[in-house]
């Protein structure tokens, strides 16, 4: 008989392997199905806490320790391997240890057969992969879920919609993307702080989830944008019903940190595969429809249609052309006189911006100002207007023309700039004009959203003589109590009230505004006066400063100068 001799190096190597395997917490196991013997190294006991000697097959081991939900697939993995359907054994499943801990375990193995093709031995390794599994889960949560609202995010949405699209097309069904965007969230975030903004998003997402969970899945795209993905719907009416439900749900005040907040949303809907077979297009289309809802005065829903795509193209063109507009000298200012109808002379005028672009021709400020605001270009434009107007005031004053002040329109984004107050003071200083020659027109919405610091800035400007007026008064907020705290001294009655001045109710509102202004010592200007009758009614009510086509449309500098010469 030949005695095999092992040299000491070989034994050392074996010891090293054994130690390495033990330290790595990897169990080595072997199973002889014919003899019903199952053996494993101590590491398997360390992982499972079970006495491995008590098992006589890998099957009985798995049946004992695998959790209910994973048991069948774990048994299948082993069967497939034994039946030769796969050439290696690999199976991962969850187990409950004898000490009642939940763990993930991974089995890998191979087999040796005899000359007759019968299985002699199955052997392999097993390891505890709980940590790896948990960090993978955390990774998935990090990558596919939003940390603020815990909702699935844009990436997961794009994966889901692609799958659902295929299914929808295959089954010949229709689905929808409902794009939900909170109105004015950005300014709330800016005024009340980001932590509070996050709270709003959390509360809002919970509400929205309750509202839509029976119909589809909710995702947070980012910022204040949410998506409801509807796999299948029966009729357009049903979709409308869901959207109206969302709008109604938002009508109730949000209770956040004992603050009651009223929020509205704008909604856009695209339908698949009707509108497109492409997930990104569908998202863009729903976004366009949402944008249309905003343009239509917010708090409403819009279905995507092709025309919206065209208006989007125009919007992008305007956005790009605006960037170069100052440099290319495309802006100018026209002035609309404000008439003191009692004395029949020009009291002041409002400066209105005009834009003449080589590609687009004349574009109305009502169209390009909102785009300039969204992109931030409004700050440069606002500075340009301020400088230009102050230069004109200086020139006209040097020529001794008689007028009280010139009004300029100021966008909310300008008022929120940190150096807004100093900018106004400095530009007046540079042009050596009194601040009282300047009036700034701000909308109600802007005023209501200013923080204490900005309000203090405006009060300081008023103290230095500037006029601050509320533009489009009466169209924004219903509560008048805010008038007592905001820094203004002029109200501009909105054109819509003047248009309907024949109507008794409208007249009553105007009368009310005039009485209020008398007690608060505000100057009042009526906007958009087009007819003699309107002027007469206004004068009878005691409102004598008026602006509108009846006296004059906005005019260029030269024409204005002619008017001032005779003033
Ligand atoms: P707004 O401040 O309410 O300006 C009044 C608008 O009504 C002007 O339109 C004016 O031309 C028009 N208007 C005046 N009287 C009458 C009238 O009797 N009948 C009719 N139908 N319309 C009249 P415009 O110039 O197109 O300006 C539209 C809006 O664009 C302005 O509304 C203002 O919000 C904004 N805007 C204009 N210039 C500037 C600017 O320099 N900066 C900012 N931020 N916004 C501006
Ligand atoms: Ca105005
Ligand atoms: Ca106005």
């Amino acid at each position: 008989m030949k005695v095999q001799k092992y040299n000491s190096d070989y034994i050392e190597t074996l010891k090293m392997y054994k130690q390495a395997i033990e330290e790595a917490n990897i169990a080595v196991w072997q199973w002889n199905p014919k003899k019903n013997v199952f053996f494993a190294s101590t590491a398997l006991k360390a992982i499972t806490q079970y006495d491995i000697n008590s098992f006589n097959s890998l099957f009985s081991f798995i049946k004992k320790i695998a959790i209910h939900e994973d048991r069948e697939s774990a048994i299948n993995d082993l069967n497939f391997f034994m039946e030769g359907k796969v050439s290696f054994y690999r199976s991962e499943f969850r187990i409950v240890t004898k000490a009642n801990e939940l763990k993930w375990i991974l089995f890998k193995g191979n087999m040796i057969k005899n000359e007759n093709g019968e299985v002699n031995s199955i052997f392999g390794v097993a390891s505890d992969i709980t940590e790896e599994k948990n960090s993978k889960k955390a990774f998935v949560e990090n990558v596919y879920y939003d940390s603020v609202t815990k909702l699935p995010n844009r990436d997961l949405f794009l994966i889901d919609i692609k799958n659902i699209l295929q299914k929808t097309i295959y089954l010949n069904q229709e689905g929808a993307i409902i794009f939900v965007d909170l109105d004015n969230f950005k300014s709330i975030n800016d005024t009340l702080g980001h932590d509070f903004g996050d709270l709003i998003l959390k509360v809002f997402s919970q509400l929205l989830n309750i509202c839509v969970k029976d119909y589809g899945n909710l995702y947070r795209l980012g910022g204040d944008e949410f998506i409801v993905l509807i796999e299948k719907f029966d009729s357009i009416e049903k979709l409308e019903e869901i959207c109206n439900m969302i709008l109604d749900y938002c009508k109730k005040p949000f209770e956040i940190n004992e603050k009651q907040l009223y929020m509205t949303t704008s909604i856009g809907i695209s339908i698949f595969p009707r509108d497109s077979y492409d997930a990104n297009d569908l998202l863009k289309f729903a976004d366009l429809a949402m944008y249309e809802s905003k343009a239509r005065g917010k708090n409403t829903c819009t279905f995507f249609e092709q025309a919206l795509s065209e208006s989007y193209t125009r919007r992008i063109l305007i956005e790009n052309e605006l960037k170069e507009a100052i440099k290319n000298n495309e802006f100018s200012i026209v002035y609309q006189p404000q008439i003191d109808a009692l004395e029949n002379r020009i009291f002041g005028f409002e400066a209105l911006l005009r834009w003449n672009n080589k590609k687009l021709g004349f574009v109305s400020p009502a169209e390009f100002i909102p785009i300039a605001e969204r992109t931030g270009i409004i700050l440069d434009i606002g500075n340009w207007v301020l400088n230009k107007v102050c230069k004109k005031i200086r020139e006209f004053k040097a020529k001794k023309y008689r007028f009280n002040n010139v009004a300029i329109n100021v966008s909310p984004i300008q008022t929120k700039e940190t150096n807004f107050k100093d900018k106004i003071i400095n530009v007046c200083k540079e042009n050596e004009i009194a601040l009282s020659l300047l009036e700034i027109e701000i909308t109600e919405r802007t005023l209501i959203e200013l923080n204490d610091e900005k309000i203090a800035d405006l009060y300081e400007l008023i103290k230095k003589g500037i006029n601050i007026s509320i533009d489009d008064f009466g169209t924004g907020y219903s509560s008048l109590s805010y008038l007592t705290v905001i820094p203004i001294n002029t109200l501009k009655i909105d054109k819509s009230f003047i248009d309907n001045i024949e109507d008794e109710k409208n007249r009553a509102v105007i009368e009310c505004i005039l009485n209020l202004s008398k007690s608060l010592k505000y100057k009042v200007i009526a906007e958009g006066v087009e007819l003699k009758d309107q002027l007469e009614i206004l004068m009878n009510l005691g409102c004598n400063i008026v602006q509108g086509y009846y006296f004059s449309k906005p005019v260029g500098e030269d024409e204005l100068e002619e008017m001032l010469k005779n003033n």
Side-chain angles (χ1 to χ4, degrees):
M1 186 178 146
K2 228 176 163 186
V3 176
Q4 179 139 22
K5 279 206 180 133
Y6 295 108
N7 67 27
S8 58
D9 276 1
Y10 183 66
I11 293 174
E12 268 314 296
T13 311
L14 274 184
K15 271 191 193 161
M16 251 168 53
Y17 277 143
K18 188 167 180 274
Q19 197 181 345
I21 283 175
E22 270 163 19
E23 271 171 23
N25 220 1
I26 294 175
V28 183
W29 53 268
Q30 191 184 9
W31 171 35
N32 186 329
K34 269 207 321 230
K35 292 186 184 160
N36 268 338
V37 179
F38 182 61
F39 156 84
S41 67
T42 47
L44 196 58
K45 185 173 181 192
I47 296 170
T48 63
Q49 276 119 32
Y50 278 101
D51 182 6
I52 307 301
N53 290 331
S54 60
F55 301 100
N56 58 10
S57 83
L58 189 50
F59 277 118
S60 61
F61 178 73
I62 292 171
K63 279 180 192 156
K64 175 83 185 170
I65 66 165
I67 68 162
H68 179 71
E69 294 95 315
D70 294 1
R71 197 170 297 150
E72 197 184 320
S73 72
I75 303 266
N76 280 343
D77 287 343
L78 187 54
N79 272 331
F80 285 169
F81 170 64
M82 308 264 303
E83 290 160 11
K85 288 184 183 151
V86 290
S87 48
F88 294 102
Y89 172 50
R90 191 185 190 286
S91 183
E92 48 180 61
F93 50 91
R94 284 165 297 174
I95 62 165
V96 179
T97 69
K98 207 172 178 185
N100 246 340
E101 281 176 288
L102 188 73
K103 285 184 182 173
W104 274 96
I105 197 164
L106 169 67
F107 272 82
K108 286 193 226 174
N110 215 329
M111 62 170 72
I112 298 174
K113 290 179 180 168
N114 62 18
E115 303 92 66
N116 305 329
E118 293 162 335
V119 178
N120 253 356
S121 160
I122 299 176
F123 60 93
V125 292
S127 52
D128 179 351
I129 54 164
T130 313
E131 243 172 64
E132 192 188 318
K133 278 285 181 183
N134 285 348
S135 63
K136 206 182 229 172
K137 189 168 158 243
F139 173 77
V140 167
E141 269 165 16
N142 255 338
V143 171
Y144 288 119
Y145 288 81
D146 161 49
S147 60
V148 177
T149 61
K150 308 282 181 258
L151 288 176
N153 65 13
R154 182 192 199 99
D155 289 341
L156 193 50
F157 165 74
L158 285 172
I159 293 171
D160 288 353
I161 172 92
K162 277 173 194 155
N163 289 330
I164 289 180
L165 251 172
Q166 279 181 344
K167 198 167 135 192
T168 311
I169 295 164
Y170 178 72
L171 294 174
N172 206 7
Q173 290 172 344
E174 273 193 319
I177 293 180
I178 303 184
F179 197 117
V180 184
D181 187 290
L182 275 173
D183 295 330
N184 311 310
F185 177 72
K186 198 184 167 308
S187 56
I188 292 175
N189 216 13
D190 291 346
T191 1
L192 298 172
H194 285 253
D195 288 345
F196 196 81
D198 280 357
L199 262 180
I200 294 178
L201 290 175
K202 247 187 234 170
V203 174
F204 178 70
S205 67
Q206 283 160 1
L207 277 180
L208 199 56
N209 213 2
I210 294 171
C211 193
V212 303
K213 70 175 189 307
D214 291 342
Y215 309 99
N217 277 337
L218 183 64
Y219 303 78
R220 180 179 175 211
L221 272 200
D224 56 348
E225 298 170 344
F226 296 85
I227 289 279
V228 187
L229 178 54
I230 298 198
E231 225 179 297
K232 180 180 172 243
F233 63 89
D234 301 333
S235 64
I236 294 287
E237 287 75 32
K238 185 72 206 172
L239 277 183
E240 277 172 341
E241 204 179 287
I242 297 171
C243 293
N244 286 331
M245 215 165 61
I246 297 174
L247 294 175
D248 281 349
Y249 230 89
C250 296
K251 277 194 189 127
K252 296 173 209 144
F254 287 59
E255 276 284 343
I256 296 171
N257 284 359
E258 283 158 32
K259 268 197 178 89
Q260 280 212 336
L261 233 102
Y262 285 88
M263 305 283 300
T264 59
T265 52
S266 294
I267 297 178
I269 304 146
S270 63
I271 291 172
F272 53 84
R274 187 194 78 181
D275 293 337
S276 172
Y277 286 85
D278 179 85
N280 285 304
D281 274 354
L282 286 165
L283 189 57
K284 190 177 102 185
F285 292 165
D287 185 14
L288 290 184
M290 185 281 294
Y291 193 88
E292 180 64 16
S293 288
K294 294 243 188 239
R296 282 170 42 209
K298 303 177 179 172
N299 196 19
T300 182
C301 72
T302 308
F303 283 84
F304 170 78
E305 51 189 294
Q306 208 49 47
L308 292 180
S309 217
E310 283 142 32
S311 76
Y312 173 76
T313 312
R314 178 169 167 90
R315 204 167 81 217
I316 297 296
L317 181 62
I318 289 179
E319 209 177 293
N320 287 331
E321 290 300 308
L322 269 180
K323 287 181 193 146
E324 308 288 317
I326 292 182
K327 202 182 81 205
N328 293 343
N329 236 338
E330 295 174 359
F331 286 126
S332 61
I333 288 175
V334 290
Y335 298 88
Q336 186 174 34
Q338 298 169 333
I339 308 293
D340 182 337
L342 270 186
E343 295 187 19
N344 210 11
R345 68 170 197 95
I346 296 175
F347 177 88
F349 27 96
E350 178 178 0
L352 293 157
L353 187 58
R354 291 295 174 261
W355 180 33
N356 188 3
N357 175 265
K358 55 189 178 316
K359 285 189 196 154
L360 294 151
F362 273 102
V363 184
S364 155
E367 187 178 8
F368 73 77
I369 295 281
I371 298 172
E373 286 175 340
R374 251 173 82 108
T375 53
I377 307 171
I378 191 69
L379 290 175
D380 288 339
I381 298 178
N383 287 339
W384 184 88
V385 172
L386 189 63
N387 278 304
K388 187 95 178 159
V389 169
C390 286
K391 278 203 177 68
K392 203 61 313 165
I393 296 178
R394 176 191 202 160
E395 181 197 323
F396 282 173
K397 274 295 156 188
K399 290 179 176 168
K400 300 268 183 302
Y401 296 141
R402 207 159 69 108
F403 59 92
N404 290 46
N405 54 40
V406 183
I408 59 170
N409 292 282
V410 167
S411 139
I413 297 165
Q414 291 173 268
T415 57
K416 282 175 191 158
E417 247 198 327
T418 38
N419 60 350
F420 176 68
K421 178 192 72 182
D422 296 331
K423 200 174 261 174
I424 301 264
I425 295 173
N426 288 339
V427 74
C428 287
K429 215 182 255 168
E430 276 163 27
N431 288 291
E432 297 169 316
I433 59 170
L435 264 83
S436 59
L437 286 169
L438 208 57
E439 177 160 306
I440 52 182
E441 297 193 5
I442 308 182
T443 60
E444 283 178 278
R445 177 120 238 162
T446 311
L447 282 163
I448 208 91
E449 282 169 4
L450 292 178
N451 63 23
D452 293 348
E453 199 184 326
K454 287 287 150 223
I455 288 186
D457 279 356
L458 291 189
Y459 271 119
E460 197 182 323
L461 284 174
I462 286 193
K463 232 166 55 206
K464 289 187 187 298
I466 209 163
N467 300 281
I468 299 181
S469 66
I470 302 189
D471 205 353
D472 309 335
F473 184 72
T475 57
Y477 277 81
S478 46
S479 157
L480 290 177
S481 59
Y482 76 99
L483 284 178
T484 58
V485 288
I486 54 167
I488 54 146
N489 46 25
T490 306
L491 294 182
K492 292 191 80 173
I493 304 179
D494 190 65
K495 179 173 181 298
S496 56
F497 294 105
I498 313 301
D499 286 343
N500 300 307
I501 203 165
E502 302 283 349
D503 175 56
E504 220 171 287
K505 281 189 189 143
N506 270 278
R507 219 164 34 233
V509 172
I510 294 174
E511 223 168 333
C512 183
I513 296 175
L514 289 168
N515 286 334
L516 190 81
S517 304
K518 203 181 251 170
S519 19
L520 294 172
K521 302 200 168 50
Y522 290 160
K523 180 178 89 188
V524 178
I525 302 174
E527 273 195 289
V529 178
E530 293 179 343
L531 306 167
K532 193 164 189 263
D533 288 352
Q534 294 169 339
L535 176 68
E536 274 169 6
I537 298 173
L538 280 167
M539 289 189 69
N540 281 334
L541 292 174
C543 174
N544 51 300
I545 302 183
V546 291
Q547 175 182 349
Y549 292 178
Y550 176 69
F551 281 106
S552 169
K553 287 196 168 182
V555 295
E557 293 172 356
D558 297 341
E559 208 175 321
L560 178 70
E561 190 161 359
E562 284 310 309
M563 289 179 179
L564 283 171
K565 276 179 187 164
N566 308 316
N567 197 35

